[in-house]
Coordinates of all heavy atoms in Angstrom, one line a residue:
M1 N 0.9 -1.1 0.0 CA 0.0 0.0 0.0 C 0.9 1.2 0.0 O 2.0 1.3 0.6 CB -0.9 0.0 1.2 CG -1.8 1.1 1.2 SD -3.1 1.0 2.5 CE -2.2 1.4 4.0
S2 N 0.4 2.3 -0.6 CA 1.2 3.5 -0.8 C 0.3 4.6 -0.2 O -1.0 4.6 -0.5 CB 1.5 3.8 -2.2 OG 2.2 5.1 -2.3
L3 N 0.8 5.5 0.5 CA 0.0 6.6 1.1 C 0.5 8.0 0.6 O 1.7 8.3 0.6 CB 0.1 6.6 2.6 CG -0.7 7.6 3.4 CD1 -2.2 7.4 3.2 CD2 -0.4 7.5 4.9
S4 N -0.4 8.7 0.0 CA 0.0 10.1 -0.5 C -1.1 11.1 -0.2 O -2.2 10.7 0.4 CB 0.1 10.1 -2.1 OG -1.2 9.9 -2.7
T5 N -0.8 12.4 -0.3 CA -1.7 13.5 0.1 C -1.6 14.7 -0.8 O -0.6 14.8 -1.6 CB -1.5 13.8 1.6 OG1 -2.4 14.7 2.0 CG2 -0.1 14.4 1.7
D6 N -2.5 15.6 -0.7 CA -2.4 16.9 -1.3 C -2.3 17.9 -0.1 O -3.1 17.8 0.9 CB -3.6 17.3 -2.1 CG -3.7 16.3 -3.3 OD1 -2.8 15.5 -3.5 OD2 -4.7 16.4 -4.1
I7 N -1.4 18.8 -0.1 CA -1.3 19.9 0.9 C -1.3 21.3 0.2 O -0.6 21.5 -0.8 CB 0.1 19.7 1.5 CG1 0.0 18.2 2.2 CG2 0.3 20.8 2.6 CD1 1.4 17.8 2.7
I8 N -2.1 22.2 0.8 CA -2.2 23.5 0.4 C -1.5 24.4 1.6 O -2.0 24.3 2.7 CB -3.6 24.0 0.1 CG1 -4.2 23.2 -1.0 CG2 -3.6 25.5 -0.2 CD1 -5.6 23.4 -1.2
S9 N -0.6 25.2 1.3 CA 0.1 26.1 2.1 C -0.5 27.4 2.0 O -0.7 28.0 0.9 CB 1.6 26.1 1.9 OG 2.3 27.0 2.7
G10 N -0.7 28.1 3.1 CA -1.2 29.5 3.1 C -2.7 29.6 2.9 O -3.2 30.7 2.5
F11 N -3.4 28.6 3.3 CA -4.9 28.8 3.3 C -5.3 29.9 4.2 O -4.7 30.1 5.2 CB -5.6 27.4 3.7 CG -7.0 27.3 3.4 CD1 -7.5 27.0 2.1 CD2 -7.9 27.6 4.3 CE1 -8.8 27.0 1.8 CE2 -9.3 27.5 4.1 CZ -9.8 27.2 2.8
P12 N -6.3 30.7 3.9 CA -6.8 31.7 4.6 C -6.9 31.4 6.2 O -7.4 30.2 6.5 CB -8.2 32.1 4.1 CG -8.1 31.7 2.7 CD -7.2 30.5 2.7
T13 N -6.5 32.2 7.0 CA -6.5 32.1 8.4 C -5.4 31.1 9.0 O -5.3 30.9 10.2 CB -7.8 31.8 9.1 OG1 -8.1 30.3 8.8 CG2 -8.9 32.7 8.6
E14 N -4.7 30.5 8.1 CA -3.5 29.5 8.5 C -2.5 30.3 9.3 O -2.1 31.4 8.9 CB -3.0 28.8 7.3 CG -1.9 27.9 7.7 CD -1.2 27.2 6.6 OE1 -0.6 27.8 5.9 OE2 -1.5 26.0 6.4
T15 N -2.1 29.8 10.5 CA -1.1 30.4 11.2 C 0.2 29.5 11.3 O 0.2 28.5 10.6 CB -1.5 30.5 12.8 OG1 -1.6 29.1 13.2 CG2 -2.8 31.2 12.9
E16 N 1.3 30.1 11.8 CA 2.6 29.3 11.8 C 2.3 28.1 12.6 O 2.9 27.0 12.2 CB 3.7 30.2 12.3 CG 4.1 31.2 11.4 CD 5.4 31.9 11.9 OE1 6.3 31.2 12.4 OE2 5.4 33.1 11.8
D17 N 1.5 28.1 13.7 CA 1.2 27.0 14.5 C 0.6 25.9 13.7 O 0.8 24.6 13.8 CB 0.5 27.3 15.8 CG 1.3 28.1 16.8 OD1 2.5 27.9 16.7 OD2 0.7 28.7 17.6
D18 N -0.5 26.3 12.9 CA -1.2 25.4 12.0 C -0.2 24.7 11.1 O -0.3 23.5 10.9 CB -2.3 26.2 11.2 CG -3.4 26.7 12.0 OD1 -3.7 26.2 13.1 OD2 -4.0 27.8 11.6
Q19 N 0.7 25.5 10.4 CA 1.6 24.9 9.6 C 2.5 23.9 10.2 O 2.8 22.8 9.7 CB 2.4 26.0 8.9 CG 3.4 25.4 7.8 CD 4.2 26.5 7.2 OE1 4.8 27.3 7.9 NE2 4.2 26.5 5.8
K20 N 2.9 24.2 11.4 CA 3.8 23.3 12.2 C 3.1 21.9 12.5 O 3.6 20.9 12.3 CB 4.3 23.9 13.4 CG 5.3 23.1 14.3 CD 5.7 23.6 15.5 CE 6.6 22.8 16.3 NZ 6.5 21.3 16.2
L21 N 1.9 22.1 12.8 CA 1.1 20.9 13.1 C 0.9 20.0 11.9 O 1.0 18.8 11.9 CB -0.4 21.2 13.6 CG -0.4 21.8 15.0 CD1 -1.9 22.3 15.3 CD2 -0.1 20.7 16.1
T22 N 0.7 20.6 10.8 CA 0.6 19.9 9.5 C 1.9 19.2 9.2 O 2.0 18.0 8.7 CB 0.3 20.9 8.3 OG1 -1.0 21.5 8.6 CG2 0.2 20.1 7.0
L23 N 3.1 20.0 9.3 CA 4.3 19.3 9.0 C 4.6 18.2 10.0 O 5.2 17.2 9.6 CB 5.5 20.4 9.1 CG 5.4 21.5 8.1 CD1 6.4 22.6 8.3 CD2 5.6 20.9 6.7
D24 N 4.3 18.4 11.2 CA 4.4 17.2 12.2 C 3.6 16.1 11.8 O 4.2 14.9 11.9 CB 4.0 17.7 13.7 CG 5.0 18.6 14.2 OD1 6.1 18.9 13.8 OD2 4.6 19.3 15.3
L25 N 2.5 16.3 11.3 CA 1.6 15.1 10.8 C 2.3 14.4 9.7 O 2.3 13.2 9.6 CB 0.2 15.6 10.5 CG -0.8 14.6 10.1 CD1 -1.1 13.5 11.2 CD2 -2.1 15.2 9.6
I26 N 2.7 15.2 8.8 CA 3.4 14.7 7.6 C 4.5 13.8 8.0 O 4.7 12.7 7.5 CB 3.9 15.8 6.6 CG1 2.6 16.5 6.0 CG2 4.9 15.2 5.6 CD1 3.1 17.8 5.3
Q27 N 5.4 14.2 8.9 CA 6.5 13.4 9.3 C 6.0 12.1 10.1 O 6.6 11.0 9.9 CB 7.4 14.2 10.2 CG 8.1 15.3 9.5 CD 9.0 16.2 10.4 OE1 8.8 16.2 11.6 NE2 10.0 16.9 9.8
D28 N 5.0 12.3 10.9 CA 4.5 11.1 11.7 C 3.9 10.0 10.7 O 4.1 8.8 11.0 CB 3.4 11.6 12.7 CG 3.9 12.3 13.8 OD1 5.2 12.4 14.0 OD2 3.1 12.9 14.6
L29 N 3.2 10.5 9.6 CA 2.6 9.5 8.8 C 3.5 9.0 7.7 O 3.1 7.9 7.1 CB 1.3 10.2 8.2 CG 0.2 10.5 9.1 CD1 -0.9 11.2 8.5 CD2 -0.3 9.3 9.8
N30 N 4.6 9.6 7.5 CA 5.5 9.1 6.5 C 5.0 8.8 5.2 O 5.0 7.8 4.7 CB 6.3 7.9 7.1 CG 7.6 7.6 6.4 OD1 8.2 8.4 5.7 ND2 7.9 6.3 6.4
F31 N 4.3 9.8 4.5 CA 3.7 9.7 3.2 C 4.8 9.2 2.2 O 5.9 9.6 2.3 CB 3.1 11.0 2.8 CG 1.9 11.5 3.5 CD1 2.0 12.4 4.5 CD2 0.6 10.9 3.2 CE1 0.8 12.8 5.2 CE2 -0.5 11.1 3.9 CZ -0.4 12.2 5.0
D32 N 4.3 8.5 1.2 CA 5.1 8.1 0.1 C 5.3 9.2 -0.9 O 6.3 9.2 -1.6 CB 4.6 6.9 -0.6 CG 4.6 5.7 0.4 OD1 5.6 5.3 0.9 OD2 3.5 5.1 0.6
G33 N 4.4 10.0 -1.1 CA 4.3 11.2 -1.9 C 3.4 12.3 -1.4 O 2.4 12.0 -0.7
A34 N 3.6 13.5 -1.9 CA 2.7 14.6 -1.6 C 2.7 15.6 -2.7 O 3.8 15.9 -3.2 CB 3.1 15.3 -0.3
Y35 N 1.6 16.0 -3.1 CA 1.4 17.1 -4.0 C 1.2 18.4 -3.2 O 0.2 18.4 -2.4 CB 0.2 16.9 -5.0 CG 0.4 15.7 -5.9 CD1 -0.1 14.4 -5.5 CD2 1.1 15.8 -7.1 CE1 0.0 13.3 -6.3 CE2 1.3 14.7 -7.9 CZ 0.7 13.5 -7.5 OH 0.9 12.4 -8.3
T36 N 2.1 19.3 -3.3 CA 2.0 20.6 -2.5 C 1.8 21.8 -3.4 O 2.3 21.9 -4.4 CB 3.3 20.7 -1.7 OG1 4.4 20.8 -2.6 CG2 3.5 19.5 -0.7
F37 N 1.0 22.7 -2.8 CA 0.6 23.8 -3.6 C 0.5 25.0 -2.6 O 0.2 24.8 -1.5 CB -0.8 23.6 -4.2 CG -0.9 22.4 -5.1 CD1 -1.4 21.3 -4.5 CD2 -0.6 22.4 -6.4 CE1 -1.5 20.1 -5.2 CE2 -0.7 21.3 -7.2 CZ -1.2 20.1 -6.6
K38 N 0.8 26.2 -3.2 CA 0.5 27.4 -2.3 C -1.0 27.8 -2.6 O -1.5 27.6 -3.7 CB 1.4 28.5 -2.6 CG 1.3 29.1 -4.1 CD 2.2 30.2 -4.3 CE 2.1 30.7 -5.7 NZ 1.8 32.0 -5.8
Y39 N -1.7 28.3 -1.6 CA -3.1 28.7 -1.8 C -3.1 29.8 -2.8 O -2.3 30.7 -2.7 CB -3.7 29.1 -0.4 CG -5.0 29.7 -0.6 CD1 -6.1 29.0 -0.9 CD2 -5.1 31.2 -0.5 CE1 -7.4 29.5 -1.0 CE2 -6.4 31.7 -0.7 CZ -7.5 30.9 -0.9 OH -8.8 31.5 -1.2
S40 N -4.1 29.8 -3.6 CA -4.4 30.8 -4.5 C -6.0 30.9 -4.5 O -6.7 29.9 -4.7 CB -3.9 30.7 -5.9 OG -4.3 29.6 -6.5
P41 N -6.5 32.2 -4.3 CA -8.0 32.3 -4.4 C -8.7 32.0 -5.7 O -8.2 32.1 -6.7 CB -8.1 33.9 -4.2 CG -6.9 34.4 -3.8 CD -5.8 33.4 -4.3
R42 N -9.9 31.3 -5.5 CA -10.7 30.9 -6.7 C -12.0 31.5 -6.3 O -12.7 31.3 -5.4 CB -10.7 29.4 -6.7 CG -9.5 28.7 -6.9 CD -9.1 28.7 -8.4 NE -7.9 27.8 -8.6 CZ -6.6 28.1 -8.5 NH1 -6.3 29.4 -8.1 NH2 -5.7 27.3 -8.8
E43 N -12.5 32.2 -7.3 CA -13.8 32.9 -7.2 C -14.9 31.9 -7.1 O -14.8 30.8 -7.5 CB -14.1 33.8 -8.5 CG -13.4 35.1 -8.5 CD -13.9 36.0 -9.7 OE1 -15.1 36.5 -9.5 OE2 -13.2 36.2 -10.6
N44 N -16.0 32.3 -6.4 CA -17.2 31.5 -6.2 C -16.9 30.3 -5.3 O -17.6 29.3 -5.4 CB -17.7 31.0 -7.5 CG -18.2 32.3 -8.4 OD1 -18.8 33.2 -7.9 ND2 -17.8 32.2 -9.6
T45 N -15.9 30.3 -4.4 CA -15.7 29.3 -3.4 C -15.8 29.9 -2.0 O -15.8 31.2 -1.8 CB -14.1 28.8 -3.5 OG1 -13.3 29.8 -3.2 CG2 -14.0 28.1 -4.9
K46 N -16.0 29.1 -1.1 CA -16.1 29.6 0.3 C -14.9 30.4 0.8 O -14.8 31.3 1.4 CB -16.4 28.4 1.3 CG -17.9 28.0 1.1 CD -18.3 26.9 2.1 CE -19.6 26.5 2.0 NZ -20.1 25.5 3.0
A47 N -13.7 29.7 0.4 CA -12.4 30.4 0.7 C -12.3 31.7 0.1 O -11.7 32.6 0.7 CB -11.3 29.5 0.2
W48 N -12.8 32.0 -1.0 CA -12.7 33.2 -1.7 C -13.4 34.3 -0.8 O -12.8 35.4 -0.7 CB -13.4 33.2 -3.0 CG -13.6 34.5 -3.8 CD1 -14.6 35.4 -3.7 CD2 -12.7 35.2 -4.6 NE1 -14.4 36.5 -4.5 CE2 -13.2 36.4 -5.0 CE3 -11.4 34.8 -5.0 CZ2 -12.5 37.2 -5.9 CZ3 -10.7 35.6 -5.9 CH2 -11.3 36.8 -6.3
Q49 N -14.4 34.0 -0.1 CA -15.1 34.9 0.7 C -14.3 35.2 2.0 O -14.5 36.2 2.7 CB -16.5 34.4 1.1 CG -17.4 34.2 -0.1 CD -18.6 33.5 0.2 OE1 -18.9 33.1 1.4 NE2 -19.4 33.2 -0.7
M50 N -13.3 34.3 2.3 CA -12.5 34.5 3.6 C -11.4 35.5 3.3 O -10.9 36.0 4.3 CB -11.9 33.2 4.0 CG -12.9 32.1 4.3 SD -12.2 30.5 4.6 CE -11.3 30.7 6.1
G51 N -11.0 35.8 2.1 CA -10.0 36.7 1.9 C -8.6 35.9 1.8 O -8.6 34.8 2.3
D52 N -7.6 36.5 1.3 CA -6.3 35.9 1.2 C -5.4 36.6 2.2 O -4.7 37.6 1.9 CB -5.8 35.9 -0.2 CG -4.6 35.1 -0.4 OD1 -4.1 34.5 0.6 OD2 -3.9 35.2 -1.6
D53 N -5.4 36.2 3.5 CA -4.7 37.0 4.5 C -3.2 36.5 4.8 O -2.6 37.0 5.8 CB -5.5 37.0 5.9 CG -5.7 35.6 6.4 OD1 -5.4 34.5 5.7 OD2 -6.2 35.5 7.6
V54 N -2.8 35.4 4.0 CA -1.4 34.9 4.3 C -0.5 35.5 3.3 O -0.8 35.3 2.0 CB -1.4 33.3 4.2 CG1 0.1 32.9 4.4 CG2 -2.2 32.8 5.3
P55 N 0.5 36.3 3.5 CA 1.4 37.0 2.6 C 2.0 35.9 1.6 O 2.3 34.8 2.0 CB 2.4 37.7 3.4 CG 1.8 37.8 4.7 CD 0.9 36.7 4.9
E56 N 2.2 36.3 0.4 CA 2.9 35.5 -0.6 C 4.2 34.9 -0.2 O 4.5 33.8 -0.3 CB 3.0 36.3 -1.9 CG 3.4 35.5 -3.1 CD 2.3 34.5 -3.6 OE1 1.1 34.8 -3.2 OE2 2.6 33.6 -4.3
E57 N 5.0 35.8 0.5 CA 6.4 35.3 0.9 C 6.3 34.3 1.9 O 7.2 33.4 2.1 CB 7.2 36.5 1.4 CG 6.7 37.4 2.5 CD 5.8 38.5 2.1 OE1 5.4 38.6 0.9 OE2 5.4 39.3 2.9
V58 N 5.3 34.3 2.8 CA 5.1 33.3 3.8 C 4.7 31.9 3.1 O 5.2 30.8 3.5 CB 4.0 33.6 4.8 CG1 3.6 32.5 5.7 CG2 4.5 34.9 5.6
K59 N 3.9 32.0 2.1 CA 3.5 30.7 1.4 C 4.6 30.1 0.7 O 4.6 28.9 0.6 CB 2.4 31.1 0.4 CG 1.1 31.6 0.9 CD 0.1 31.9 -0.2 CE -1.1 32.7 0.3 NZ -1.9 33.1 -0.8
L60 N 5.6 30.9 0.3 CA 6.7 30.4 -0.4 C 8.0 30.0 0.4 O 9.0 29.6 -0.1 CB 7.1 31.4 -1.5 CG 6.1 31.7 -2.6 CD1 6.5 32.8 -3.5 CD2 5.8 30.3 -3.4
Q61 N 7.8 30.2 1.7 CA 9.0 29.9 2.5 C 9.3 28.4 2.5 O 8.4 27.6 2.6 CB 8.7 30.3 4.1 CG 8.8 31.8 4.3 CD 8.4 32.1 5.7 OE1 7.9 31.2 6.5 NE2 8.6 33.2 6.1
P62 N 10.5 28.1 2.5 CA 10.9 26.7 2.5 C 10.5 26.0 3.9 O 10.5 26.7 4.9 CB 12.4 26.6 2.3 CG 12.9 28.0 2.4 CD 11.7 28.9 2.3
I63 N 10.3 24.7 3.9 CA 10.1 24.0 5.1 C 11.3 24.0 6.0 O 12.3 23.8 5.5 CB 9.6 22.5 4.8 CG1 8.2 22.6 4.0 CG2 9.4 21.7 6.0 CD1 7.7 21.3 3.5
K64 N 11.1 24.2 7.3 CA 12.1 24.3 8.2 C 12.3 22.9 8.7 O 11.5 22.1 8.9 CB 11.9 25.3 9.3 CG 11.6 26.7 8.8 CD 11.3 27.5 9.9 CE 10.9 29.0 9.4 NZ 10.4 29.8 10.4

């Protein structure tokens, strides 16, 4: 069996603590692969209404 996931970085309201929890989970689960993306707003979605409050430079920071 193989385990993979999709991850979006910088979703509206995401904090550094949220990101750390996500990274900890990734390490704990030892995924075989992951598709990772930075959040980008899409019209007519619930997230669009939340606004894009995570700066671009934060979304693009390398994983520590």
Side-chain angles (χ1 to χ4, degrees):
M1 183 168 79
S2 179
L3 183 62
S4 65
T5 188
D6 294 354
I7 299 166
I8 298 173
S9 175
F11 192 81
T13 73
E14 181 181 71
T15 65
E16 285 188 45
D17 288 338
D18 293 332
Q19 186 182 46
K20 182 179 180 333
L21 289 171
T22 299
L23 294 174
D24 290 345
L25 181 65
I26 291 167
Q27 290 177 343
D28 289 346
L29 293 178
N30 197 24
F31 289 102
D32 297 302
Y35 294 94
T36 58
F37 309 90
K38 67 179 177 120
Y39 171 77
S40 58
R42 300 283 191 266
E43 280 191 74
N44 301 317
T45 64
K46 288 184 180 183
W48 174 265
Q49 298 169 5
M50 297 170 74
D52 188 5
D53 62 348
V54 178
E56 191 73 12
E57 57 272 7
V58 171
K59 294 178 192 177
L60 297 174
Q61 284 179 349
I63 295 173
K64 300 174 188 173

